[in-house]
Amino acid sequence: TELEGLELRWIDIPLVSPFRTSFGTETARRVLLVRAVTGDGEGWGECVAMDEPVYSAEYVEGAAQVIRDFLLPRLGRGADPWKAEEAFRPVHGHPMAKAAVGAALLDVWLRARDTSFGEFLGAVRPAVPSGVSVGIMDSVPELLDAVDGYVAEGYRRIKLKIEPGWDVAPVRAVRERHPDLPLQVDANTAYTLADARHLARLDPFDLLLIEQPLPEDDIAGHAALARLVATPICLDESITSAAIAADAIVRGATSVVNIKPGRVGGFLEARRVHDVCAAHGVPVWCGGMLETGIGRAANVALAALPNFTLPGDTSASSRYFATDVTEPFVLEDGALLVPTGPGIGVAPDEAVLRALTVRTEFLPA
Ligand SMILES: O=C(O)CCC(=O)N[C@@H](C(=O)O)c1ccccc1
């Protein structure tokens, strides 16, 4: 069937607590949602770009313009997710903008065929174990309180944000408090190869991995670092496609991969990254970008694929939001249930959406 148009919807959703990473602190999210309208109905996608280009080069206003001026015109009235991926290929970069449109088209395509994201992608389990990401805090006691709370909630893995000056001490404190807890760290590119000896001081704490210690374009640097530290290196920002995942793996730059559909251009490519990593015996886990229930639902379905063998940043809605845009995702025995309804299996609550909406714009195909 034909595409009638895309609705862009900007929402402001507050965070339950400030979230500090090596590139800044967030207290609320400006989120761009995309609703695809076709003759078959509608589908939803969430653009994971932040308000400012500090995680990667994309940002909300830029993504909206790329969708309006460069992606939608290339779709014409086409609504086929594969043809859309092909139509977007001449546009360089902008994976998060592409992924948001692609997810909305895939959602409406699957709803029309009464097929869930999980069935379509190849989910092999009904629930996925949840990890949780813990931001940089003002003090170690404050960090320990936060970690204790998440462990009490049942989270299966803790990820600590680190940066120079906040790394060995907080990791040591958490490890001493929780000797058997699956634990990993995320540097968000905050270190250099000169920090190798310092990062090796994390080796005694039995971490699952060190995520993206170096800048995203430094594949060779991560390969050199992997030879200098014992803890496995995991890449996030560096992995923008299945081909790049394969290159990073064969060059010894990464032995675990964080998959984020928005970072790689969409769910079709995310599955290719999963498959390439599986072919190399490299485990993957599902990263997070503080998604609302719309993006979270699709991520949970992806995280149920066979090679997602590590808990991801697929936390409960309450980790970030007092009120989610959809029915909240709730931790059950430390896991989230994979939605079974058609498409992403969830829908935004109209009243909540209206209350959070800053602006909408309908773009006719
Ligand atoms: O649980 C979540 O959704 C967030 C997990 C997380 O730490 N995301 C990090 C990241 O670098 O992966 C991030 C934080 C803020 C903005 C972008 C990314």
Side-chain angles (χ1 to χ4, degrees):
T1 54
E2 293 206 319
L3 180 66
E4 289 171 21
L6 298 176
E7 176 195 83
L8 302 185
R9 180 179 291 264
W10 289 253
I11 67 170
D12 273 351
I13 184 165
L15 299 182
V16 292
S17 58
F19 187 57
R20 184 176 154 199
T21 67
S22 65
F23 49 76
T25 300
E26 284 203 292
T27 57
R29 287 282 274 159
R30 168 65 60 92
V31 180
L32 180 68
L33 299 175
V34 177
R35 181 169 65 91
V37 183
T38 77
D40 284 339
E42 65 179 38
W44 289 89
E46 177 168 347
C47 181
V48 297
M50 297 171 64
D51 224 4
E52 293 185 313
V54 290
Y55 165 78
S56 66
E58 293 187 84
Y59 56 100
V60 171
E61 283 317 302
Q65 191 208 340
V66 165
I67 292 170
R68 181 191 308 114
D69 296 349
F70 310 121
L71 297 183
L72 181 56
R74 282 180 167 79
L75 279 183
R77 298 186 65 86
D80 177 279
W82 288 268
K83 290 193 179 116
E85 200 183 31
E86 206 46 48
F88 294 166
R89 217 169 287 288
V91 174
H92 286 231
H94 301 286
M96 294 172 178
K98 293 173 179 176
V101 177
L105 292 175
L106 190 55
D107 187 27
V108 62
W109 194 87
L110 289 170
R111 286 177 194 270
R113 290 157 179 80
D114 199 24
T115 305
S116 73
F117 253 59
E119 286 167 276
F120 169 74
L121 289 171
V124 294
R125 57 185 78 93
V128 297
S130 290
V132 66
S133 178
V134 183
I136 294 166
M137 303 252 171
D138 293 333
S139 72
V140 168
E142 194 181 337
L143 176 73
L144 290 174
D145 285 347
V147 169
D148 289 353
Y150 292 131
V151 170
E153 282 187 60
Y155 283 102
R156 303 285 191 78
R157 175 272 278 148
I158 295 285
K159 161 168 137 178
L160 302 178
K161 290 292 183 179
I162 61 170
E163 64 182 12
W166 178 266
D167 47 32
V168 176
V171 167
R172 176 188 296 116
V174 172
R175 179 50 82 213
E176 283 173 358
R177 175 84 72 108
H178 299 281
D180 304 321
L181 175 71
L183 186 60
Q184 66 193 54
V185 295
D186 183 1
N188 287 112
T189 76
Y191 294 85
T192 72
L193 193 52
D195 296 311
R197 191 180 311 282
H198 177 74
L199 289 170
R201 292 180 54 206
L202 295 171
D203 286 342
F205 302 117
D206 189 27
L207 298 179
L208 289 167
L209 54 94
I210 300 178
E211 186 180 355
Q212 198 71 47
L214 309 180
E216 61 268 29
D217 53 11
D218 192 1
I219 300 296
H222 282 102
L225 182 65
R227 292 190 290 273
L228 296 169
V229 302
T231 306
I233 301 295
C234 171
L235 293 181
D236 169 0
E237 287 90 333
S238 296
I239 309 299
T240 52
S241 71
I244 286 173
D247 178 61
I249 290 166
V250 298
R251 291 166 63 184
T254 191
S255 50
V256 185
V257 169
N258 164 332
I259 295 181
K260 293 176 179 175
R263 189 192 70 223
V264 300
F267 283 87
L268 300 179
E269 187 68 8
R271 183 169 53 182
R272 296 183 193 114
V273 177
H274 164 274
D275 295 347
V276 159
C277 291
H280 286 271
V282 166
V284 302
W285 53 281
C286 188
M289 295 292 284
L290 290 81
E291 287 93 342
T292 73
I294 291 172
R296 197 163 297 274
N299 283 353
V300 170
L302 177 72
L305 266 62
N307 191 35
F308 282 87
T309 54
L310 292 166
D313 288 342
T314 47
S315 307
S317 295
S318 61
R319 163 69 183 85
Y320 294 106
F321 312 118
T323 306
D324 202 339
V325 167
T326 64
E327 278 295 304
F329 280 86
V330 178
L331 225 47
E332 299 188 21
D333 187 25
L336 294 183
L337 291 177
V338 178
T340 54
I344 58 175
V346 297
D349 175 285
E350 289 297 330
V352 172
L353 210 48
R354 197 171 25 255
L356 299 178
T357 293
V358 177
R359 179 175 160 221
T360 62
E361 183 181 342
F362 188 75
L363 307 171

